Amino acid sequence: MSSDPRPSGSARRVVPMLSFGTYRMKGDELRSALRAAIDVGYRSIDTAQVYKNEADVGAALGELFAAGVVARGDVFVTSKISPRNAGEKAYQSILDSLQRLNFEYIDLMLIHWPGSAGLPPNSAQHAARRRETWRALERAHAEGLVRHIGVSNFTERHVEELCGYAAVAPAVNQIEFHPLHIPHATLAACASHGIQVQGYSPLGEGRLVVGDDATEPAAAAAQAVIRRVAAASSATAAQVLLRWAVEWRGVAVVVKTRSAERARENFVAMAALDGITAEGGVPCTKYCWDPSGVA
């Protein structure tokens, strides 16, 4: 396999290349941050059932729609089915998400995790519930309740399994993606099936932009390169990383910030980066949940 994981261009672009993430935000804080994001130009918003903020996202966007700041048709909203709702609860959970958001449709609905809550990682029931959950998504898609369907945190194995029985192909796979975590096999599987890749935690949970981390040599080495590129480009470290993912790797990204100024900086990301990768003997560093052990 080539060491170059850039997409071949076969994937149809469904989700915008830059989305505003709402993980761990609720209430007035979320409304303020989302309004700032819309004001600077974001038109793609990412939420999930497990974030417990779909109602806040819907209310905040509803206020903006009513005020004429932005129209519903101009905003792309993604949500995700919780592992607790995998299987027979999946379809009803989609209806519940629509009700909380107060939308007639959701632009993109994902299976949040390949596993189901309450089962051991090696249980054969994970595969069965994934299939049942996908059938619920296909039903919602056929009924016009969701416009696109996809997955999140699926490995190569999970992608291949799904594509073996899906009547409607997954449009997106949202995975952890940053210079120290480039899952080549998963990227290749997505490219072969025309699945768009969207990356979350593009800043490595912040570890790639905040000071030297002596406990993580790979992160510390990456930070040094990022700072050099940022200084040479008159950009922030976050802008460099986002531009690296979007422009060089061709991966859409989800970014999250509570700061209106940071939201603006991220949106106008203006630097380029190459050479900070988990290739060439640099250890692969994963900062978020690891789905590889889910059967």
Side-chain angles (χ1 to χ4, degrees):
M1 181 184 299
S2 169
S3 64
D4 185 352
R6 284 176 285 187
S8 64
S10 60
R12 181 167 63 96
R13 183 179 297 180
V14 171
V15 66
M17 294 302 284
L18 189 63
S19 297
F20 185 77
T22 62
Y23 179 49
R24 291 180 178 168
M25 285 194 281
K26 295 181 181 179
D28 291 341
E29 178 187 53
L30 185 150
R31 293 188 184 205
S32 177
L34 196 152
R35 174 60 188 259
I38 291 293
D39 284 346
V40 301
Y42 287 86
R43 292 296 182 269
S44 181
I45 310 299
D46 184 89
T47 182
Q49 293 172 358
V50 298
Y51 300 170
K52 299 187 183 300
N53 63 9
E54 288 173 315
D56 290 328
V57 168
L61 287 174
E63 292 172 2
L64 297 176
F65 299 156
V69 175
V70 67
R72 171 66 184 97
D74 295 329
V75 178
F76 190 100
V77 177
T78 299
S79 193
K80 313 174 195 76
I81 297 174
S82 166
R84 293 185 179 278
N85 293 325
E88 62 182 12
K89 299 178 182 178
Y91 181 78
Q92 182 59 51
S93 81
I94 297 169
L95 300 181
D96 293 342
S97 287
L98 282 163
Q99 183 177 41
R100 286 189 291 268
L101 287 162
N102 195 26
F103 287 173
E104 293 183 357
Y105 66 90
I106 296 172
D107 297 276
L108 174 64
M109 197 79 186
L110 309 177
I111 298 177
H112 203 157
W113 184 253
S116 298
L119 295 177
N122 62 351
S123 172
Q125 284 300 305
H126 289 301
R129 291 189 186 179
R130 281 195 297 274
R131 189 175 187 129
E132 188 174 5
T133 304
W134 191 254
R135 294 304 183 218
L137 280 171
E138 291 180 328
R139 175 184 173 186
H141 179 266
E143 294 172 349
L145 302 178
V146 296
R147 297 202 165 171
H148 306 281
I149 56 179
V151 297
S152 180
N153 296 297
F154 272 40
T155 66
E156 173 196 21
R157 174 170 51 83
H158 301 130
V159 168
E160 294 294 350
E161 172 199 275
L162 171 60
C163 290
Y165 60 72
V168 178
V172 173
N173 186 12
Q174 187 185 105
I175 58 175
E176 180 180 351
F177 186 84
H178 50 75
L180 296 184
H181 184 70
I182 304 174
H184 295 283
T186 300
L187 293 174
C190 289
S192 70
H193 292 287
I195 301 169
Q196 184 184 8
V197 175
Q198 184 181 39
Y200 67 80
S201 294
L203 311 184
E205 291 283 275
R207 291 176 175 87
L208 298 179
V209 297
V210 182
D212 292 323
D213 191 339
T215 64
E216 296 182 16
Q223 288 163 4
V225 178
I226 293 165
R227 285 195 298 270
R228 289 199 302 271
V229 175
S233 307
S234 299
T236 67
Q239 288 174 332
V240 169
L241 286 165
L242 296 179
R243 205 63 179 242
W244 171 83
V246 171
E247 290 197 349
W248 198 82
R249 295 289 177 169
V251 172
V253 293
V254 179
V255 297
K256 181 178 76 71
T257 178
R258 293 173 170 84
S259 163
E261 178 60 21
R262 289 290 172 81
R264 186 194 66 78
E265 289 177 355
N266 291 343
F267 189 79
V268 298
M270 53 183 287
L273 180 64
D274 191 3
I276 306 175
T277 71
E279 304 163 28
V282 179
C284 183
T285 305
K286 199 176 194 312
Y287 294 115
C288 303
W289 310 274
D290 186 356
S292 62
V294 178

